[in-house]
Amino acid sequence: VQLQASGGGLVQPGGSLRLSCEVSQRTSSRFVVAWFRQAPGKERDFVAAIKFNGGYTYYGESVKGRFTISRDNAKNTVYLQMNSLRPEDTAVYYCAASSTVIHSQLASQDAYAYWGQGTQVTVSS
């Protein structure tokens, strides 16, 4: 399974960006794709996750109400729509995937076996 993340860039505070994560294949009906982010000098944090089968979504507390994760099953692509961006959202954003993760592990990076290369998001005026 290969993941290709794209869509990062420079945006002003309050602006929006949409990230995409294209997945080469889904290996099971339990396939889950998540976004994590890592700011310089900080640990990698969970952002959001979505189950391809049924579309269940789960968000980290810091992005609830501002970010929306969605998927296009036909294109095997997951999107992260980011609105009301803040300077503290600046980070490298990674998409990750798993065919075995259970609900209680959705926010744990150790539960994801497949990772994309990351895309830089910078929020600055």
Side-chain angles (χ1 to χ4, degrees):
V1 177
Q2 294 181 326
L3 292 81
Q4 181 71 39
S6 62
L10 173 64
V11 63
Q12 292 186 342
S16 298
L17 276 178
R18 189 178 80 159
L19 306 183
S20 299
C21 178
E22 186 174 354
V23 182
S24 62
Q25 63 182 96
R26 283 181 276 148
T27 58
S28 80
S29 62
R30 294 170 53 191
F31 206 74
V32 173
V33 174
W35 288 96
F36 290 80
R37 65 186 182 185
Q38 188 167 20
K42 296 188 176 181
E43 294 184 352
R44 191 171 297 184
D45 288 334
F46 172 75
V47 176
I50 188 166
K51 297 182 181 180
F52 259 91
N53 187 18
Y56 173 83
T57 58
Y58 184 65
Y59 294 92
E61 286 298 321
S62 63
V63 305
K64 280 183 179 178
R66 300 188 298 124
F67 291 11
T68 302
I69 190 170
S70 62
R71 93 282 192 213
D72 184 329
N73 285 17
K75 295 182 179 180
N76 273 359
T77 299
V78 170
Y79 303 100
L80 184 68
Q81 178 65 45
M82 305 185 295
N83 298 329
S84 302
L85 283 162
R86 305 166 180 168
E88 54 263 39
D89 294 317
T90 295
V92 177
Y93 283 69
Y94 298 90
C95 60
S98 171
S99 59
T100 60
V101 62
I102 59 176
H103 182 80
S104 61
Q105 297 174 326
L106 286 174
S108 172
Q109 59 179 312
D110 294 336
Y112 295 86
Y114 310 106
W115 289 82
Q117 83 286 6
T119 184
Q120 175 71 46
V121 172
T122 302
V123 184
S124 175
S125 54

